[in-house]
Amino acid sequence: MSTTTYQVGTKRFDIVDESREETLGPKTGKRKVAVRLYYPAIVTDEEKVEIPKKTVGDMYKDAQMVTGQQFPLIMYSHGYGAYMESNNHLCCKMAEQGYVVAVVGHLYESDKIILCDGTEVCADKEAAAKVVFPRLKGTVAS
């Protein structure tokens, strides 16, 4: 593991999966996937990103990625019902240590996500009601 620490760049983008129809929410159109990348960056005059909900971590919007090196990729999936930046501090720390972190926002299964075009996507309450939380006897100490 490298002892080098890096500045953290971030990019936010949305992907449309043309092979799947949306099955949650209004069920209209192709499935959209919201993504935030955290990566080792070279920071010059980039804008510092402030994320709401009291998250922490210094990161810079669209900063240039460090070149000439390869960095391992970590795919991070936040917990059900949480929001994309709920573990922003951890993702920034991993990028500082030389990892690229891709956080996927789960539309209609997360707290509100604002897509890049400004569309607000909230949790689908019907989908949440169908979630089964299995409970196995003996797995929780009393």
Side-chain angles (χ1 to χ4, degrees), residues 2-130:
S2 171
T3 57
T4 303
T5 57
Y6 299 94
Q7 295 290 324
V8 178
T10 185
K11 291 185 185 290
R12 189 43 199 89
F13 55 94
D14 302 323
I15 300 169
V16 177
D17 183 348
E18 296 292 344
S19 69
R20 291 193 302 162
E21 294 294 323
E22 183 57 72
T23 60
L24 300 174
K27 300 177 183 83
T28 57
K30 301 295 183 182
R31 179 77 169 155
K32 293 180 182 169
V33 180
V35 179
R36 178 176 293 283
L37 281 183
Y38 300 83
Y39 54 89
I42 299 167
V43 174
T44 54
D45 294 329
E46 284 77 6
E47 172 186 352
K48 189 171 180 180
V49 176
E50 299 292 333
I51 295 177
K53 299 191 180 194
K54 300 179 183 176
T55 58
V56 294
D58 291 331
M59 58 186 174
Y60 299 88
K61 183 178 180 180
D62 300 329
Q64 179 185 343
M65 185 172 189
V66 173
T67 58
Q69 298 180 52
Q70 292 184 346
F71 299 104
L73 172 66
I74 296 173
M75 298 291 295
Y76 179 80
S77 179
H78 60 78
Y80 190 84
Y83 61 104
M84 283 179 60
E85 286 86 7
S86 60
N87 241 329
N88 183 57
H89 183 69
L90 173 64
C91 295
C92 284
K93 287 296 182 190
M94 288 187 287
E96 285 175 0
Q97 297 303 311
Y99 294 89
V100 174
V101 183
V103 177
V104 177
H106 306 289
L107 276 65
Y108 306 108
E109 297 181 291
S110 304
D111 195 3
K112 179 171 65 175
I113 292 177
I114 301 173
L115 299 175
C116 294
D117 67 4
T119 304
E120 293 184 6
V121 179
C122 295
D124 180 344
K125 294 185 186 337
E126 289 180 25
K130 295 176 186 174

